Amino acid sequence: NDIGGVQVILASPSTATSCAKLDAEVVVLSPALISQLPSLSTTEDASAVNPRSAAYAIFTSGSTGKPKCVIMEHLSLCSSIRGHATDIGLNAESRVLQFSNYVFDVSLGEILSTLVFGGTVCVPSDTQRLAGGELPSFIAQSRANIAMLTPSVVSTISPNEVPTLKTLVLGGEAPTRDNLQTWGGHVRLVNGYGPAEACIYCSAFEIPSSTAYPNVVGRGSNFKLWVVDVNEPSRLAPIGCTGEIL
């Protein structure tokens, strides 16, 4: 039960049981606990917060399968939001579906990036969130016009079920040609790429409907992406060769 050295786990009442066997203290955020918390003064000094302060912490296993905690600073979060939200096209008219589980940083993009640009967050119930269930009707009823979904989830929905959707961001998995054939011409299709360490999305590339390569990640949204030699990170990989993104 290696959980990366974590000593305390905050859990909801519904997930507390699954944490019982982990080697950490489990604090259940029940209504009873919350009612016992002291009230906070609205005049507390927040001057100690600065751009280098932690904005959030999130767990990822990456390619190793071993959990690790990523702590993201306010500076990095703001930089990422400014870049990827602009590429996605978020603005005050955006109505963004909040689909992702909160343990994934895409949920921060759905919520915080949308609010920073003055948009509306459309939050379905747990039942409506289930892929292939009531999700398409919720998207239509809430008039959501932007969604950030995995290609697997998208494969359970057809464009005619979600007529309000204008921009579809595919992330978490490589987009497929089937995705492109189904959705091309119906929505603005974007490939959102980025590991948790890069803060939500590090690139958001609009996929041309004519391309034969829907999994291209494009240019960086808020910084430059380099494809380097896997054995020598200081050296760029030759054109056409396999490399590692830096």
Side-chain angles (χ1 to χ4, degrees):
N1 291 332
D2 183 5
I3 53 174
V6 171
Q7 298 178 351
V8 179
I9 297 175
L10 299 180
S12 65
S14 63
T15 59
T17 302
S18 62
C19 300
K21 295 182 179 180
L22 298 177
D23 187 19
E25 178 184 355
V26 180
V27 178
V28 182
L29 298 179
S30 63
L33 174 65
I34 294 175
S35 67
Q36 296 173 10
L37 297 177
S39 60
L40 297 176
S41 170
T42 57
T43 59
E44 286 191 17
D45 183 15
S47 59
V49 178
N50 61 68
R52 291 294 182 184
S53 296
Y56 66 87
I58 198 163
F59 273 84
T60 176
S61 62
S63 58
T64 65
K66 183 177 181 179
K68 56 184 176 180
C69 183
V70 176
I71 299 177
M72 202 59 62
E73 299 174 348
H74 283 267
L75 181 67
S76 300
L77 178 59
C78 291
S79 173
S80 176
I81 288 177
R82 181 178 181 181
H84 73 246
T86 299
D87 287 348
I88 291 171
L90 294 178
N91 55 48
E93 302 301 318
S94 298
R95 298 181 62 84
V96 180
L97 172 69
Q98 201 290 291
F99 177 81
S100 180
N101 189 294
Y102 300 132
V103 301
F104 300 114
D105 62 353
V106 171
S107 66
L108 298 173
E110 294 169 334
I111 299 170
L112 298 181
S113 302
T114 302
L115 296 179
V116 165
F117 279 73
T120 300
V121 182
C122 303
V123 186
S125 66
D126 289 341
T127 301
Q128 293 169 323
R129 200 184 301 270
L130 293 176
E134 301 177 21
L135 182 61
S137 61
F138 174 80
I139 293 175
Q141 291 168 10
S142 64
R143 295 180 287 112
N145 52 27
I146 296 179
M148 306 175 188
L149 303 171
T150 64
S152 297
V153 171
V154 168
S155 66
T156 68
I157 305 171
S158 63
N160 59 6
E161 293 179 295
V162 287
T164 63
L165 205 59
K166 304 301 179 186
T167 298
L168 179 57
V169 183
L170 300 177
E173 306 164 5
T176 67
R177 293 185 181 182
D178 285 343
N179 295 145
L180 184 60
Q181 292 172 356
T182 302
W183 292 89
H186 296 279
V187 298
R188 179 172 171 262
L189 209 55
V190 176
N191 183 11
Y193 169 78
E197 295 87 345
C199 193
I200 311 176
Y201 295 115
C202 61
S203 70
F205 176 68
E206 183 171 354
I207 306 173
S209 58
S210 59
T211 186
Y213 304 98
N215 56 351
V216 172
V217 300
R219 299 177 182 274
S221 291
N222 57 316
F223 44 67
K224 295 185 182 298
L225 299 179
W226 303 97
V227 181
V228 299
D229 188 314
V230 294
N231 298 313
E232 181 52 65
S234 64
R235 183 171 60 198
L236 292 177
I239 294 174
C241 294
T242 300
E244 185 175 45
I245 292 180
L246 184 67

